[in-house]
Amino acid sequence: MALLDIHNLVVEFQTASGPFRAVDGVSLHVEEREVLAIVGESGSGKSVSMLAVMGLLPWTATVTADRMTFNGRDLLKMSPAERRKIVGKDMSMIFQEPMASLNPCFTIGFQIEEVLRFHMGMDKAQRRARAIELLKQVGIPEPEDRLNSFPHQMSGGQCQRVMIAIAIACNPKLLIADEPTTALDVTIQKQILDLLVSLQAKYGMGLIMITHNMGVVAETADRVIVQYKGRKMEEADVLSLFESPKSNYTRALLSALPENAVGDRLPTVSDMMFEPAPSGAGA
Amino acid sequence: MTKVVEGKNIVRDYHVGGGLFRPARTVHAVKGVSFSVDKGKTLAIVGESGCGKSTLARIITLIDPATAGELLIDGNKVDIARDGLTKDMRRKVQIVFQNPYGSLNPRQKIGDVLGEPLLINTDKPAEERRDLAMKMLKKVGLGPEHYNRYPHMFSGGQRQRIAIARALMLNPSLLVLDEPVSALDLSVQAQVLNLLADLQDEFQLTYVFISHDLSVVRYIADDVMVMYFGEAVEYGPREEVFSNPQHSYTKTLFAATPRADVASIKARLARKAA
């Protein structure tokens, strides 16, 4: 049975000019111990669909789906209180801007222990020990001293490691990483991706990587979903996606990579673009 | 070949003022960097955040003066700390910034954005400024109907086109591009890179291209400079740098760049299965 199973997800936002459909009939599933990458450009609805799973969308959003289950439980019928018990514990998320997603007013120790107190009900000594263990796992040197640091005293890469520590604090079954390395340097990006993949393998988590970077997809994913304008264009395992992309959009995206340039000009997506068929299966 | 821009041993220090509990100190942002770019060529400067590449860009664009060293533009020595910046110099060098959402004034119409460099630096009449702005809009792939619109009505890629158009209004010989495509989507990135290549062919423009994305650099550059903590650790023709990197940092950088080719995916999957 799939860990996360979504069928026909639709997310609409109420705007001044009528409803705007950000996600239009996306179906996806993630198995345990699987890395799924969702790729798309800005506005493709890749983040919004995962925020809908986490229940983090603002009240202006309407979420409907035929089916949305996590670990066998129906997320649609769940009360907000029940959902809060799952979010951050069995299913957690890492965001794009590590500096902005940590609270600047509290030490990182406090922010890691907060999760442990709320979800695991640990006492003070247990929490501290676990926080040190977590910081060690994500590769932060001198974790005992670092617990008392504030986010502004750490670099972007270290802040992202702390975010990962918070996300894996309760041994989640599913980790959603929303552009986890976009704000980081290439060398740091490599370290963070390696860390995520090794943690995923070690704890057998399901991992969803949301990204726009084809290189990140190639380096991490088992299976890939390509989204465009809120619709699913293609779903394939990583090798066949790069070897023989089926939809025109994926082909256009791959050929727009500068490293794939053949002549002295790059083919652009609009050169090959088409109006996506309403079914969204790709032409 | 004429050298459009040449830097000899350029140094830039920033003095950070001390506070009540902190002594003043000096940050060496750029530590003696030398380079030269021929007409119609592209020099790419690569490095991670904080390595001094944007500081160097500001010096080349004549925004900040260098603390020491010589900067020659079209063979003439320029020292804006001593002589100030003449309108003539400003017409030779222009810059395109990273974030097209921040670099355009939200209350200025596109026509005025494009006309302003001419208004400040030349004495062309309004009619002529308007004509030139219209022509430039077409050059960068926009239309005359965009003349009276505001920046918020454009997408990121279109805004970057406008920023490029503004930089080209004065017919500069040198264009400094500070991460011009890193805020853009992949498909839009390809369009803007193509536009830059077209414009370079048409006007024989010289580019200094700042980037942290090696795949973009490999595509657009003639020469590559790798910066690390304010120093140029690697400098040479593109093929040489990419095929035979000398410095350990350059090697780390290449190794860290994600690869999107089928062979390396196969290798990774094989490692994982093992």
Side-chain angles (χ1 to χ4, degrees):
Chain A
M1 190 191 59
L3 182 60
L4 178 70
D5 190 10
I6 300 172
H7 201 251
N8 199 14
L9 174 72
V10 176
V11 181
E12 276 186 332
F13 287 94
Q14 295 306 325
T15 63
S17 52
F20 169 74
R21 197 168 269 211
V23 180
D24 192 0
V26 168
S27 305
L28 61 88
H29 64 98
V30 192
E31 308 293 332
E32 283 173 34
R33 309 178 168 272
E34 186 186 38
V35 185
L36 172 74
I38 305 180
V39 221
E41 304 179 52
S42 41
S44 64
K46 56 191 192 301
S47 294
V48 172
S49 52
M50 283 307 113
L51 288 172
V53 171
M54 294 284 286
L56 295 176
L57 288 170
W59 62 271
T60 47
T62 337
V63 179
T64 51
D66 295 348
R67 185 167 71 238
M68 187 149 90
T69 59
F70 171 71
N71 206 16
R73 299 180 64 184
D74 192 344
L75 289 172
L76 292 167
K77 296 207 180 86
M78 217 174 259
S79 73
E82 278 178 297
R83 196 155 179 167
R84 276 199 299 276
K85 282 184 196 151
I86 293 183
V87 168
K89 183 165 185 278
D90 294 327
M91 149 164 80
S92 56
M93 192 159 176
I94 307 165
F95 299 93
Q96 177 171 355
E97 276 286 336
M99 300 295 224
S101 27
L102 289 169
N103 189 334
C105 304
F106 296 101
T107 63
I108 60 156
F110 178 88
Q111 293 183 58
I112 297 174
E113 288 174 25
E114 194 179 18
V115 194
L116 298 170
R117 191 179 65 228
F118 185 82
H119 286 299
M120 311 291 269
M122 290 182 177
D123 67 32
K124 204 172 172 188
Q126 283 174 322
R127 288 205 301 267
R128 196 180 146 78
R130 174 74 176 143
I132 291 171
E133 187 192 331
L134 283 166
L135 285 185
K136 263 190 205 138
Q137 264 176 22
V138 296
I140 287 188
E142 294 160 7
E144 292 85 354
D145 300 337
R146 277 308 192 175
L147 282 182
N148 300 320
S149 303
F150 286 91
H152 74 269
Q153 294 167 319
M154 314 182 84
S155 68
Q158 280 186 317
C159 281
Q160 195 60 292
R161 284 172 195 268
V162 173
M163 280 302 295
I164 295 174
I166 294 174
I168 63 164
C170 308
N171 293 323
K173 295 190 173 66
L174 176 68
L175 180 61
I176 303 172
D178 186 359
E179 307 256 7
T181 57
T182 308
L184 306 174
D185 279 324
V186 192
T187 43
I188 312 294
Q189 161 170 300
K190 168 92 175 149
Q191 294 167 10
I192 296 287
L193 290 180
D194 287 349
L195 174 67
L196 277 173
V197 170
S198 71
L199 288 171
Q200 181 269 334
K202 192 171 166 192
Y203 295 106
M205 291 183 288
L207 175 62
I208 301 181
M209 289 286 271
I210 304 175
T211 182
H212 67 269
N213 187 332
M214 280 302 195
V216 171
V217 175
E219 295 266 322
T220 57
D222 298 326
R223 202 154 50 81
V224 187
I225 288 177
V226 182
Q227 263 183 234
Y228 178 71
K229 291 198 174 159
R231 296 206 183 103
K232 184 160 83 176
M233 288 287 118
E234 183 164 358
E235 181 173 356
D237 65 275
V238 64
L239 196 57
S240 35
L241 184 92
F242 280 85
E243 230 168 19
S244 51
K246 277 186 219 69
S247 90
N248 285 347
Y249 178 68
T250 317
R251 225 167 301 156
L253 260 191
L254 287 172
S255 58
L257 287 173
E259 54 259 48
N260 292 353
V262 269
D264 59 345
R265 294 291 184 276
L266 292 163
T268 57
V269 170
S270 55
D271 292 346
M272 295 176 231
M273 215 37 223
F274 54 98
E275 268 307 300
S279 66
Chain B
M1 274 296 185
T2 46
K3 283 178 187 164
V4 172
V5 62
E6 190 174 5
K8 289 180 187 164
N9 236 340
I10 287 182
V11 176
R12 172 76 211 190
D13 297 339
Y14 286 107
H15 299 284
V16 183
L20 187 54
F21 302 108
R22 223 180 3 205
R25 64 196 179 101
T26 307
V27 176
H28 305 286
V30 178
K31 306 171 187 166
V33 171
S34 305
F35 59 90
S36 69
V37 196
D38 290 334
K39 190 169 173 59
K41 296 287 180 195
T42 303
L43 168 70
I45 304 179
V46 198
E48 59 190 56
S49 43
C51 74
K53 57 189 196 299
S54 289
T55 305
L56 189 61
R58 290 174 70 89
I59 293 170
I60 299 173
T61 325
L62 313 174
I63 297 172
D64 285 341
T67 313
E70 267 181 33
L71 181 69
L72 291 91
I73 289 180
D74 277 343
N76 304 317
K77 202 176 156 196
V78 185
D79 185 355
I80 58 167
R82 199 187 60 204
D83 309 328
L85 178 68
T86 59
K87 284 183 178 175
D88 208 32
M89 288 315 304
R90 178 44 70 225
R91 293 170 68 164
K92 281 188 180 160
V93 192
Q94 288 284 318
I95 187 166
V96 176
F97 291 103
Q98 173 171 10
N99 186 348
Y101 293 85
S103 61
L104 297 172
N105 183 345
R107 307 189 68 158
Q108 216 175 15
K109 286 179 182 168
I110 299 312
D112 299 329
V113 171
L114 298 185
E116 198 165 32
L118 296 173
L119 180 70
I120 294 169
N121 292 292
T122 66
D123 42 18
K124 290 194 162 75
E127 193 62 26
E128 206 182 333
R129 292 202 300 266
R130 192 184 151 80
D131 285 351
L132 286 170
M134 289 287 195
K135 268 189 203 146
M136 190 53 75
L137 273 178
K138 275 191 204 124
K139 280 252 155 43
V140 297
L142 299 168
E145 70 273 18
H146 296 116
Y147 188 87
N148 277 322
R149 295 195 189 161
Y150 287 95
H152 74 262
M153 302 157 108
F154 292 92
S155 68
Q158 285 176 320
R159 285 189 220 197
Q160 201 58 297
R161 284 170 194 269
I162 294 164
I164 293 169
R166 174 176 62 184
L168 293 177
M169 285 308 286
L170 292 166
N171 270 324
S173 49
L174 175 65
L175 197 56
V176 178
L177 302 148
D178 189 355
E179 306 250 16
V181 293
S182 59
L184 305 177
D185 273 328
L186 191 58
S187 58
V188 183
Q189 168 180 313
Q191 291 168 8
V192 172
L193 287 175
N194 283 347
L195 171 68
L196 287 172
D198 290 340
L199 292 169
Q200 185 165 41
D201 289 350
E202 189 175 345
F203 299 109
Q204 277 294 296
L205 283 168
T206 308
Y207 290 153
V208 173
F209 192 99
I210 317 266
S211 181
H212 67 267
D213 188 341
L214 284 168
S215 54
V216 172
V217 167
R218 186 169 209 163
Y219 167 69
I220 201 163
D222 295 301
D223 289 323
V224 178
M225 178 197 280
V226 181
M227 285 186 74
Y228 188 55
F229 283 112
E231 282 171 72
V233 295
E234 191 110 20
Y235 179 39
R238 171 184 59 178
E239 288 313 322
E240 215 167 277
V241 172
F242 275 92
S243 60
N244 186 19
Q246 298 297 319
H247 194 270
S248 61
Y249 175 69
T250 320
K251 288 176 191 163
T252 318
L253 198 61
F254 287 163
T257 307
R259 285 168 203 284
D261 56 290
V262 174
S264 39
I265 297 173
K266 274 187 182 150
R268 175 176 71 85
L269 292 176
R271 270 201 311 277
K272 195 175 174 181

